[in-house]
Amino acid sequence: MLSVTAVTAQAQATEAAAPRYQPEMVRALADSLGVSEKAAVERLDEQDAQQRRLAELAKDGISGDGAFFTAGGELTVNAGDAAEARKIEKSGLASRVPARGQAELEKIKAKLDTLAAKRVPGGVSSWRVDLASDTVTVEVNSGRGAATKAFLTEAAKHGKAVKVVKGQEKLTPQAVIYPGSRMTYNGYLCSVGYGARDRNGKQFLVTAGHCVEDLPVLSYNNARFAKATHSRFAVGTRSVDMGVAAVDAGNSIATSVGTWGNGSPVAVRGSRRAASGAALCKSGQTTGWTCGTVRSYNVSVTYTDQNGGPDTVVSGLASSTVCTEGGDSGGAYISGNQAQGMTSGGPVGQQCSGVNSGGSSYFQPLDDALSYYGLTLNTN
């Protein structure tokens, strides 16, 4: 079955009720932390409670300068000054006054984005704002090439604000040629993402942009179920990996994420963005149900085209420790019951071996796609 399948209204109505947290997500978190499942549930409850307190702070006009979960599960909020830090701590959240903070780091990353748009740095796998380390982290797979050297020279100008990590793998969008797939288009393969609607109630599939780059007809079980209408991805051009397809009448996208036999489907209650460090799982047709944590947001990557085409810089992604492989693209990420995004890409040749496989991947945040296309997520 697919991550989020095209189903009829009858099948949707008979779907079993899901527990508060998907059991496999609880087990995966427990294994990764080396704690009991009861402690893992408490960790998820505390994550949710802390993020709700952060949302209340924003309503009170205290937005902070970014927030992230520590390895110990404590949500830490960047404050602009000591006075704001005291207000944040009074709400029950941890705070710090960073040397730089999210706003300054985003400006540095934007300069690198501008440079990469002019000359694609093929030797740079990704660059992102990493709130926990208070740096822009640049991952390098090769220092060769004039564009790569120019990029690293520009990065070095920012001193300690930029951290360079060498020895990384090349990345690629995870759509591969494979016949008889769960979601096919012109002989290619991806995974189904989330369902949403416009203001008139028209139904759409929200997916990775590279899955619908040429606006193809999409098929499920060898039968058409949608037609792509928009994509912000184009090989060789600075891109954003989001796209949508109009769902054909008589079909729908389930409001629960399939788990590939690892328990009941996970009901989708909303799309509140999880903070860095939060637990999440992904459903995709190649590797099934795999779990990990959120790493960073607003990540830029350089994708290598496996068909010999030009490299492509993609911005606006999120990174994670969730393992994915080719064909998982477009598949659904979820944290608790909150939809997070769709698989974009990952390391070339990465192999996953189960729910708790070590690895990494990049996903297109769902909330950004919904906002850009003016859509409302379908929830359970």
Side-chain angles (χ1 to χ4, degrees):
M1 59 182 169
L2 289 174
S3 55
V4 185
T5 51
V7 296
T8 63
Q10 179 180 3
Q12 196 171 352
T14 58
E15 187 177 79
R20 182 158 53 107
Y21 299 119
Q22 204 278 336
E24 249 335 280
M25 183 184 295
V26 173
R27 287 194 286 273
L29 180 60
D31 289 344
S32 66
L33 295 176
V35 300
S36 67
E37 290 186 19
K38 180 177 182 294
V41 169
E42 291 172 352
R43 175 77 164 249
L44 288 168
D45 285 341
E46 183 58 25
Q47 282 186 357
D48 184 65
Q50 289 180 84
Q51 292 187 122
R52 289 182 184 278
R53 286 200 292 273
L54 181 61
E56 289 300 319
L57 276 178
K59 290 180 181 178
D60 293 336
I62 304 173
S63 58
D65 192 18
F68 62 94
F69 281 106
T70 65
E74 183 177 55
L75 186 62
T76 300
V77 184
N78 284 337
D81 52 37
E84 187 174 67
R86 286 192 292 272
K87 292 179 181 178
I88 293 169
E89 290 168 359
K90 194 172 182 180
S91 75
L93 296 175
S95 69
R96 70 173 186 183
V97 180
R100 286 163 288 274
Q102 183 172 355
E104 182 178 338
L105 294 174
E106 296 285 8
K107 290 178 181 178
I108 294 172
K109 182 182 172 291
K111 292 179 180 178
L112 297 179
D113 285 345
T114 299
L115 182 61
K118 297 175 181 176
R119 299 176 68 191
V120 175
V124 180
S125 294
S126 71
W127 53 105
R128 67 182 187 275
V129 169
D130 184 75
L131 293 177
S133 66
D134 197 31
T135 65
V136 173
T137 300
V138 177
E139 296 185 338
V140 180
N141 62 69
S142 170
R144 295 188 297 271
T148 296
K149 292 178 179 177
F151 185 96
L152 294 177
T153 297
E154 175 62 29
K157 293 179 181 178
H158 300 284
K160 293 182 179 179
V162 174
K163 178 174 67 176
V164 177
V165 181
K166 298 181 179 179
Q168 302 301 301
E169 296 174 296
K170 291 184 178 181
L171 306 175
T172 181
Q174 290 177 319
V176 298
I177 299 174
Y178 192 83
S181 65
R182 298 293 185 178
M183 177 172 127
T184 56
Y185 57 99
N186 300 334
Y188 287 83
L189 160 66
C190 272
S191 300
V192 175
Y194 286 103
R197 62 192 182 278
D198 67 11
R199 65 177 62 183
N200 298 315
K202 184 174 177 59
Q203 295 295 311
F204 289 88
L205 167 70
V206 187
T207 186
H210 72 268
C211 289
V212 293
E213 179 182 358
D214 297 323
L215 306 186
V217 168
L218 304 176
S219 296
Y220 169 69
N221 276 355
N222 299 315
R224 168 177 167 154
F225 77 97
K227 171 68 170 67
T229 58
H230 297 86
S231 174
R232 298 181 68 190
F233 184 94
V235 171
T237 301
R238 181 176 176 182
S239 298
V240 177
D241 202 7
M242 64 173 69
V244 293
V247 177
D248 295 341
N251 294 286
S252 64
I253 309 301
T255 54
S256 292
V257 179
T259 62
W260 296 84
N262 292 292
S264 301
V266 182
V268 177
R269 305 297 191 199
S271 57
R272 185 176 69 246
R273 181 177 290 201
S276 298
L280 82 165
C281 294
K282 171 237 91 235
S283 184
Q285 71 83 38
T286 305
T287 59
W289 187 246
T290 55
C291 299
T293 59
V294 179
R295 290 177 65 193
S296 300
Y297 289 100
N298 194 16
V299 181
S300 295
V301 305
T302 303
Y303 280 147
T304 301
D305 189 273
Q306 296 297 283
N307 297 316
D311 293 342
T312 307
V313 169
V314 179
S315 300
L317 299 177
S319 59
S320 78
T321 62
V322 175
C323 194
T324 60
E325 295 180 22
D328 282 330
S329 285
Y333 287 69
I334 191 163
S335 179
N337 292 114
Q338 299 296 312
Q340 298 299 310
M342 297 74 61
T343 301
S344 174
V348 176
Q350 177 167 262
Q351 295 184 332
C352 308
S353 57
V355 173
N356 300 317
S357 300
S360 64
S361 60
Y362 299 84
F363 64 92
Q364 167 60 52
L366 177 62
D367 55 357
D368 286 346
L370 294 173
S371 176
Y372 182 83
Y373 290 115
L375 299 175
T376 300
L377 178 68
N378 294 331
T379 57
N380 188 310

